[in-house]
Amino acid sequence: MKKIRKVKNNLEEKFRQQTDELRIRDGQLRQGADREKLGADRERQGADREKIAEEQIYIRTKAIESTLDGIFIIDAKKPDFPIIYANPSFYSLTGFSKSEIIGKSYFLLYGIDSNLRVSEEIKKTLRQGKFFHGEMLKFKKNGEKYWCLLRIAPIRDSKGVITHYVGTKTDTTLMKQRDLEIEEQREELLHVTRVGKLAEFVSSLAHEISQPLTAILSYAQAAQRMLKDREPQLREILQYIINDDQRAAEVIRRLRSLLKKNKPAFETLDINTLTNDTVTLIMPHIIAKNKVIKLELAGGLPLIHGDRIQLQQVLLNLISNSLEAMEESKHSTDLIIKTSLKNAGTIMVQVKDSGCGIPEENMKKLFAHFFTSKPDGLGMGLSISRSIVEAHGGHLEAMNNPDHGATFYFTIPVHVANKP
């Protein structure tokens, strides 16, 4: 029995040892499997992180390339500040190609007409490692002007050393144009206000001047009566005074009529008579400027229908402008006023001078409100004149003469009663 028990105990001990070995091996196998699984999980996580990083880089790159702002990166380690990256909007904004930008100094993109002071200020800011922010006028490669908002910021490494600069350029040309348009409109409103006040002042002044003119006329006529049948030379001088006084009074009367807010008084008019009367009014001014006026009035012209004072205002303005254009040259003396029948239903009036002509850049805006090439001009004369002519059913235009000088011409419809 003892031997049997001993054998049994030995077998049980071996079984326990084998069971323990199997348990240990199973544990080792499981640990190995876990390690493999852990390694696989880590590989998957690494792949996922790389994928996410690639997606983020792709999104950021696309965002930078898609933005309307011009974005560029400058290498701060090199003294000439070369550009190492620029997005498509930067190429479009500056007009330069990629080969003309990458590796080139940022400051070579400034045109020869750019403000060198601004360029030096940007350089100074970059050398000091500061941010730059400012709006400025720039030039594209082809010389075209544009306004942009420029912002440049430093990029630092882990040690705080500046390695690069990133910049953005926002095209503000349209906003700048709108600001300028608003400013022009504001100036026009102020101008209109000043002109309105001036009109009130002139109307009041005209009223005050008419009183002494009436007194002068009365004194001159009284003196003329007292000198009846004697002192013929003195009476002739008094007649000159009376004529000039009456002419001045007529100018004042017409001026006050122009400034009143009355409706136009349309009547049947002879354009040749109207032209002669207008020339008579301005003749002293023409003589004083040592100019010669020539009338080429076509005979037998049909009558027109219009406001006498307004049409005379147009003629006076055109004649005055022509005289001023001729002042720059002593050899420009002839001023021609011509009337003719353009067609069966239209009469044309031309005022042709021998002055300096009209610059081509001014031709399109010649009749615009408040446009003037004169230092002390109001810019209202031609604009008002065109409005008057158009209110009469005609057109007012201008052109340069083939030789020298310019011609202003307007058309007026023939009076309906004249038409068959």
Side-chain angles (χ1 to χ4, degrees):
M1 291 294 292
K2 291 182 179 180
K3 288 182 178 180
I4 294 172
R5 192 179 292 112
K6 187 176 181 180
V7 172
K8 181 181 178 182
N9 290 336
N10 290 337
L11 290 173
E12 288 177 352
E13 182 65 25
K14 288 181 179 179
F15 179 77
R16 281 195 299 272
Q17 290 177 354
Q18 290 176 352
T19 302
D20 290 340
E21 288 177 359
L22 289 173
R23 190 182 293 114
I24 291 171
R25 288 180 182 179
D26 184 61
Q28 290 176 342
L29 289 172
R30 287 182 180 179
Q31 288 179 358
D34 290 341
R35 280 195 293 269
E36 288 180 1
K37 183 180 179 183
L38 180 62
D41 289 342
R42 287 176 176 173
E43 288 180 1
R44 281 195 299 271
Q45 290 176 357
D48 290 341
R49 279 195 292 268
E50 288 180 3
K51 185 178 180 181
I52 292 172
E54 290 176 358
E55 289 179 352
Q56 290 178 342
I57 293 173
Y58 176 79
I59 292 172
R60 291 172 184 172
T61 302
K62 281 298 180 182
I64 292 174
E65 292 181 349
S66 301
T67 183
L68 294 177
D69 289 340
I71 298 177
F72 58 96
I73 299 175
I74 296 174
D75 188 345
K77 299 185 294 295
K78 296 183 179 179
D80 59 341
F81 298 110
I83 296 176
I84 62 172
Y85 170 81
N87 69 343
S89 294
F90 186 83
Y91 300 135
S92 176
L93 184 60
T94 61
F96 290 91
S97 64
K98 185 175 182 179
S99 61
E100 294 172 314
I101 287 179
I102 301 302
K104 305 295 192 303
S105 171
Y106 170 73
F107 296 98
L108 293 179
L109 300 179
Y110 282 74
I112 58 174
D113 297 324
S114 294
N115 192 331
L116 294 179
R117 181 186 61 80
V118 176
S119 177
E120 290 301 321
E121 183 180 346
I122 296 173
K123 285 183 181 179
K124 181 180 178 181
T125 303
L126 297 188
R127 291 191 179 106
Q128 293 175 348
K130 297 180 180 179
F131 291 86
F132 180 85
H133 180 280
E135 188 177 25
M136 62 197 68
L137 178 65
K138 299 291 290 294
F139 295 84
K140 295 187 177 183
K141 179 183 176 181
N142 60 4
E144 180 184 347
K145 296 180 181 180
Y146 69 97
W147 284 90
C148 76
L149 179 63
L150 176 64
R151 288 159 290 193
I152 303 178
I155 301 175
R156 301 176 185 272
D157 61 14
S158 58
K159 297 179 180 179
V161 178
I162 296 175
T163 59
H164 298 84
Y165 283 97
V166 60
T168 61
K169 297 179 73 171
T170 304
D171 191 347
T172 59
T173 305
L174 290 178
M175 290 186 289
K176 199 71 177 178
Q177 288 175 347
R178 292 192 188 101
D179 291 342
L180 292 174
E181 288 173 0
I182 292 172
E183 184 64 26
E184 288 178 0
Q185 291 173 0
R186 187 182 296 113
E187 288 297 324
E188 287 185 2
L189 288 174
L190 292 174
H191 199 89
V192 168
T193 303
R194 289 195 296 268
V195 170
K197 294 295 182 182
L198 178 62
E200 294 178 7
F201 171 74
V202 171
S203 180
S204 175
L205 183 64
H207 175 72
E208 296 297 327
I209 292 176
S210 62
Q211 295 181 0
L213 285 176
T214 302
I216 293 171
L217 178 63
S218 299
Y219 291 141
Q221 289 175 335
Q224 201 174 40
R225 286 194 297 270
M226 292 174 63
L227 295 173
K228 186 179 180 180
D229 299 329
R230 57 193 179 95
E231 300 292 342
Q233 292 182 342
L234 187 56
R235 282 190 289 110
E236 184 178 1
I237 293 173
L238 289 172
Q239 187 60 48
Y240 288 148
I241 294 174
I242 292 171
N243 292 342
D244 287 339
D245 183 282
Q246 291 174 335
R247 187 178 294 110
E250 179 64 13
V251 171
I252 295 298
R253 185 187 69 79
R254 292 173 186 271
L255 181 61
R256 293 185 67 185
S257 298
L258 288 172
L259 294 173
K260 287 181 180 178
K261 296 181 179 179
N262 295 333
K263 292 183 179 180
F266 279 76
E267 58 182 312
T268 303
L269 301 171
D270 183 322
I271 193 66
N272 288 344
T273 302
L274 182 75
T275 302
N276 277 316
D277 291 345
T278 306
V279 170
T280 300
L281 281 174
I282 203 171
M283 185 57 75
H285 188 58
I286 295 172
I287 295 173
K289 290 183 175 294
N290 197 29
K291 306 299 179 184
V292 177
I293 192 164
K294 297 179 180 179
L295 298 179
E296 298 180 5
L297 309 180
L301 292 177
L303 300 177
I304 62 171
H305 195 242
D307 184 287
R308 178 186 299 274
I309 293 176
Q310 287 190 352
L311 292 178
Q312 280 191 320
Q313 180 186 359
V314 172
L315 272 172
L316 284 170
N317 186 58
L318 297 183
I319 294 171
S320 297
N321 284 349
S322 295
L323 290 174
E324 289 180 6
M326 294 163 61
E327 281 185 358
E328 297 181 7
S329 175
K330 295 181 180 179
H331 303 291
S332 301
T333 58
D334 293 346
L335 175 63
I336 300 173
I337 301 178
K338 181 179 180 180
T339 62
S340 60
L341 190 65
K342 182 179 180 181
N343 52 51
T346 309
I347 288 176
M348 177 181 287
V349 180
Q350 296 173 281
V351 179
K352 181 180 179 181
D353 65 60
S354 53
C356 57
I358 305 168
E360 194 62 33
E361 63 270 17
N362 293 345
M363 192 64 76
K364 291 183 179 180
K365 49 188 175 180
L366 197 59
F367 297 97
H369 294 297
F370 308 117
F371 171 75
T372 178
S373 58
K374 307 169 190 174
D376 56 348
L378 293 175
M380 295 288 288
L382 289 176
S383 174
I384 293 175
S385 296
R386 171 171 272 190
S387 298
I388 290 173
V389 172
E390 289 178 349
H392 282 74
H395 298 282
L396 173 60
E397 302 292 343
M399 65 179 181
N400 283 316
N401 302 326
D403 45 4
H404 55 272
T407 298
F408 286 83
Y409 57 96
F410 65 90
T411 58
I412 294 290
V414 170
H415 185 35
V416 177
N418 293 301
K419 296 181 180 180

